């Protein structure tokens, strides 16, 4: 294999910028060195550039796998959506670079709160998502509160010398057990709880009271292979 025939300059630049060390070409076989480049690019494609957390695309794939696991095993899984409160005010007051520092700080604090089996993602802008497999409803509120407190407990020190006090609103929902649901439906349920947290005053956690065991029309369609509209049109049994 002649690596000189491959146009890898852009790929190597991306890996260097992303902080991915590669073995020296003279210390590895061509195949091993090229595999390291491919592995680095794959990992880079799954990460958010600003925080290093899982990105939106990869997170949705994680949710798909978790939905399948919950449907097969009936075990609990909690999805949290977290939004930094009044983030636009931070950008307007201190600038977008300072806003990026706040996002990075929140990402680090969330990562410190979770288990190795959990996944934290920057879902977009100032919004983060966390999925916690095997998280029982009795512990969900305590887990989400721990994250909220970790964010609020101390200010973020900016490179400009200023300190910013921040807080976050958190919404959460459990994956329906024994039901093959969808990522969109699960996200909608968690997002509804986030909306409740914000409308109730921000800097708080709102979770579904318990794991949802009922099945929506759309989920019935996924189970039985019929559309939601067909299910809704079915007459009641007499």
């Amino acid at each position: 294999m002649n690596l000189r025939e491959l146009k890898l300059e852009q790929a190597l630049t991306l890996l260097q910028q992303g902080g991915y060390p590669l073995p020296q070409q003279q210390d590895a076989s061509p195949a091993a060195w090229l595999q390291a480049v491919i592995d680095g690019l794959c990992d880079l494609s799954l990460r958010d550039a600003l925080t290093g957390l899982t990105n939106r695309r990869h997170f949705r794939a994680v949710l798909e796998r978790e939905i399948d696991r919950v449907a097969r095993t009936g075990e609990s899984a909690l999805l949290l959506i977290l939004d930094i409160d009044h983030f636009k005010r931070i950008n307007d007051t201190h600038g977008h670079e300072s806003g990026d520092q706040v996002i990075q700080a929140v990402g680090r604090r969330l990562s410190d709160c979770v288990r190795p089996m959990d996944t934290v993602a920057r879902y977009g802008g100032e919004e983060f998502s966390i999925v916690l497999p095997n998280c029982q409803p009795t512990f969900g509120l305590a887990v989400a509160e721990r994250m909220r407190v970790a964010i609020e407990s101390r200010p973020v020190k900016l490179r400009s010398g200023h300190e910013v006090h921040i807080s976050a609103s958190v919404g959460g929902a459990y994956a329906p057990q024994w039901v093959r649901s969808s990522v969109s439906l699960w996200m909608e349920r968690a997002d509804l709880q986030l909306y409740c947290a914000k409308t109730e005053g921000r800097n708080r956690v709102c979770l579904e009271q318990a794991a949802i065991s009922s099945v929506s029309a759309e989920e019935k369609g996924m189970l039985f292979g019929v559309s939601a509209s067909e299910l809704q049109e079915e007459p009641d049994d007499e």
Side-chain angles (χ1 to χ4, degrees), residues 66-117:
E66 193 57 26
I67 285 172
D68 182 66
R69 189 189 67 81
V70 172
R72 287 184 289 102
T73 66
E75 295 177 348
S76 295
L78 175 62
L79 169 64
L80 299 175
I81 300 179
L82 181 148
D83 191 81
I84 302 173
D85 295 328
H86 303 297
F87 183 73
K88 183 177 184 298
R89 186 183 302 170
I90 297 172
N91 277 338
D92 291 345
T93 303
H94 300 282
H96 290 277
E97 183 178 350
S98 295
D100 286 348
Q101 293 171 49
V102 168
I103 288 173
Q104 290 170 329
V106 170
R108 289 191 295 269
R109 294 178 190 185
L110 290 175
S111 296
D112 289 341
C113 290
V114 299
R115 306 163 296 177
M117 64 193 297

Side-chain angles (χ1 to χ4, degrees), residues 5-225:
E5 297 178 358
L6 300 177
K7 298 179 181 179
L8 298 175
E9 293 80 5
Q10 186 174 6
L12 296 177
T13 298
L14 288 172
L15 292 173
Q16 183 180 22
Q17 292 173 345
Y20 290 88
L22 292 175
Q24 297 294 324
Q25 285 187 251
Q26 62 269 23
D27 298 333
S29 68
W33 186 84
L34 184 58
Q35 186 64 56
V37 172
I38 294 171
D39 291 344
L41 290 173
C42 289
D43 190 60
L44 192 64
S45 72
L46 304 177
R47 300 282 172 189
D48 171 62
L50 180 62
T51 63
L53 298 173
T54 295
N55 61 22
R56 180 181 185 130
R57 177 177 57 215
H58 186 209
F59 188 75
R60 291 185 70 89
V62 171
L63 289 186
E64 288 281 5
R65 291 196 296 270
E66 193 57 26
I67 285 172
D68 182 66
R69 189 189 67 81
V70 172
R72 287 184 289 102
T73 66
E75 295 177 348
S76 295
L78 175 62
L79 169 64
L80 299 175
I81 300 179
L82 181 148
D83 191 81
I84 302 173
D85 295 328
H86 303 297
F87 183 73
K88 183 177 184 298
R89 186 183 302 170
I90 297 172
N91 277 338
D92 291 345
T93 303
H94 300 282
H96 290 277
E97 183 178 350
S98 295
D100 286 348
Q101 293 171 49
V102 168
I103 288 173
Q104 290 170 329
V106 170
R108 289 191 295 269
R109 294 178 190 185
L110 290 175
S111 296
D112 289 341
C113 290
V114 299
R115 306 163 296 177
M117 64 193 297
D118 303 327
T119 302
V120 182
R122 182 187 176 205
Y123 204 71
E126 67 272 25
E127 187 174 281
F128 296 80
S129 297
I130 309 98
V131 62
L132 302 104
N134 297 320
C135 182
Q136 299 299 320
T138 51
F139 304 122
L141 182 59
V143 171
E145 275 290 339
R146 185 172 71 238
M147 296 180 186
R148 185 193 65 78
V149 171
I151 291 169
E152 184 194 24
S153 60
R154 63 187 189 278
V156 177
K157 296 181 179 180
L158 304 175
R159 285 191 285 271
S160 64
H162 294 92
E163 290 187 346
V164 179
H165 293 269
I166 60 173
S167 66
S169 302
V170 187
Y174 294 89
Q177 296 167 289
W178 305 109
V179 174
R180 187 66 178 87
S181 185
S182 71
V183 169
S184 296
L185 289 172
W186 197 7
M187 292 289 295
E188 284 175 10
R189 286 169 172 155
D191 200 50
L192 177 61
Q193 297 302 315
L194 174 62
Y195 175 78
C196 292
K198 285 189 168 293
T199 56
E200 291 177 10
R202 294 185 170 86
N203 190 25
R204 65 190 63 211
V205 173
C206 287
L207 300 185
E208 288 178 343
Q209 293 302 307
I212 291 179
S213 58
S214 61
V215 183
S216 68
E218 186 171 344
E219 288 162 342
K220 286 180 182 177
M222 297 174 72
L223 282 169
F224 303 118

